[in-house]
Amino acid sequence: MGLYKITAIDTCKYEAVYSSFVAFSNWIAEIKGWKSSKSFREKQDLPEFDKALRAAGCAWPTNIDCFVSNEKFEPICIIEFQNANKTSVEKHCNNEFLWGKYTGSTDWGKTIYYNDVRRWLSQEILRVQSGLRLFVVTWSESSEDFILKEIDQVTLPQFPREKNWRLHNQIEENLHNLAVYYRVNKDYALRYAKWISENTSSYNLSYNDGSMEMISHSPKLNVANKTFPKLYYKFKHLEKNNKEKLPIIFLELLGNN
């Protein structure tokens, strides 16, 4: 497998060669900074190349589902599609997955959570560095509903850099509890949101002079200043029973900016 770097629209530079899927997967893990501990969801329609990378331990980095260009073929926005296959379109909430979901317990009693922090970090790097608008379309094969959103900013939780696993786990647990009670018990949700606000830090990204900068926020964190960890939207619209309206609203939104 050869690795090439595109330095211009008509220029490719040879970088390296990898003799196995494991070697190439390890290189991807180096670029990403981690190997996923979350089980991969194998599907029959995945390319064999992707299946081999997943079997080796690290699949492709975050990809772009779709981008839109203008009449001059210049990219103007990125689109992320999300299939609401575990809940209804109307009840699908990106922030609940950002804060964390329960997956189970280990034999030694440790509770395991997963969240979309890494996923949205990757998407935010793409959005900030490219300078392109980022839209999210939530849909379902079993529904005529859709949600169209435009990302304004992604603020992410900042976990302790030192190996303070007790605090790290406490932050994850309270983010998870916020997600659990977000819809069903506002009082409980506010309790955990208050703890997060007063005891944790967050960050967002900025791209200046060719380098990415991490802007940290100390407690108290709050939604008004966009320092509380969550996805913030410029636009959010739920349309029920009318998928045909998606391109109309999308084009209107593009034309208004």
Side-chain angles (χ1 to χ4, degrees):
M1 286 168 282
L3 175 65
Y4 295 85
K5 182 178 181 180
I6 299 175
T7 56
I9 194 168
D10 58 351
T11 305
C12 288
K13 180 183 177 183
Y14 174 78
E15 291 282 320
V17 63
Y18 298 93
S19 59
S20 69
F21 288 110
V22 172
F24 189 61
S25 178
N26 288 337
W27 173 78
I28 294 175
E30 290 176 10
I31 299 299
K32 291 171 67 173
W34 72 85
K35 278 201 173 187
S36 178
S37 59
K38 182 180 173 182
S39 60
F40 295 120
R41 289 172 295 179
E42 295 291 350
K43 293 185 178 180
Q44 293 302 315
D45 58 351
L46 281 175
E48 293 302 319
F49 189 73
D50 196 5
K51 289 181 181 179
L53 288 178
R54 291 171 185 240
C58 190
W60 285 107
T62 299
N63 64 334
I64 297 175
D65 287 346
C66 178
F67 71 90
V68 178
S69 299
N70 60 19
E71 295 86 351
K72 298 179 181 179
F73 303 104
E74 299 166 332
I76 56 176
C77 72
I78 301 167
I79 302 178
E80 169 79 3
F81 290 101
Q82 296 180 339
N83 187 352
N85 58 358
K86 294 184 178 180
T87 184
S88 68
V89 170
E90 185 174 3
K91 291 184 177 180
H92 185 278
C93 177
N94 291 115
N95 281 312
E96 291 182 46
F97 289 96
L98 176 73
W99 294 326
K101 293 291 184 180
Y102 172 75
T103 59
S105 301
T106 64
D107 293 337
W108 56 92
K110 178 178 172 55
T111 302
I112 301 174
Y113 307 104
Y114 78 85
N115 54 43
D116 278 352
V117 169
R118 287 172 175 167
R119 174 186 182 182
W120 282 105
L121 170 59
S122 299
Q123 294 289 353
E124 185 69 346
I125 290 171
L126 289 172
R127 185 189 72 83
V128 172
Q129 186 166 346
S130 69
L132 300 176
R133 300 166 69 181
L134 174 58
F135 295 92
V136 180
V137 177
T138 304
W139 65 285
S140 173
E141 295 173 350
S142 60
S143 172
E144 289 296 310
D145 300 349
F146 70 84
I147 301 175
L148 175 62
K149 294 174 280 192
E150 181 177 1
I151 298 293
D152 181 32
Q153 175 180 302
V154 179
T155 301
L156 298 162
Q158 191 166 26
F159 296 100
R161 294 183 180 179
E162 66 278 5
K163 292 184 178 179
N164 187 343
W165 296 116
R166 183 176 180 179
L167 177 58
H168 187 287
N169 292 338
Q170 190 173 8
I171 293 171
E172 277 202 331
E173 183 177 350
N174 282 289
L175 284 167
H176 160 72
N177 287 330
L178 173 60
V180 168
Y181 293 110
Y182 180 67
R183 293 183 187 275
V184 298
N185 191 318
K186 293 297 183 184
D187 290 336
Y188 267 72
L190 287 172
R191 178 189 303 179
Y192 293 110
K194 185 174 185 291
W195 187 94
I196 294 164
S197 173
E198 295 177 349
N199 295 278
T200 72
S201 300
S202 66
Y203 70 96
N204 60 280
L205 301 175
S206 176
Y207 188 67
N208 296 300
D209 298 325
S211 63
M212 193 70 68
E213 298 178 3
M214 190 171 74
I215 302 171
S216 297
H217 309 290
S218 300
K220 291 183 174 182
L221 309 178
N222 66 77
V223 172
N225 292 333
K226 300 179 184 178
T227 57
F228 191 88
K230 71 187 297 284
L231 276 64
Y232 295 88
Y233 304 113
K234 292 181 180 179
F235 177 88
K236 181 177 179 180
H237 175 76
L238 166 66
E239 186 73 25
K240 296 184 70 67
N241 302 314
N242 193 356
K243 277 185 178 179
E244 300 300 320
K245 201 171 179 181
L246 174 57
I248 298 172
I249 298 175
F250 177 70
L251 291 173
E252 287 178 351
L253 199 56
L254 281 182
N256 290 336
N257 291 274

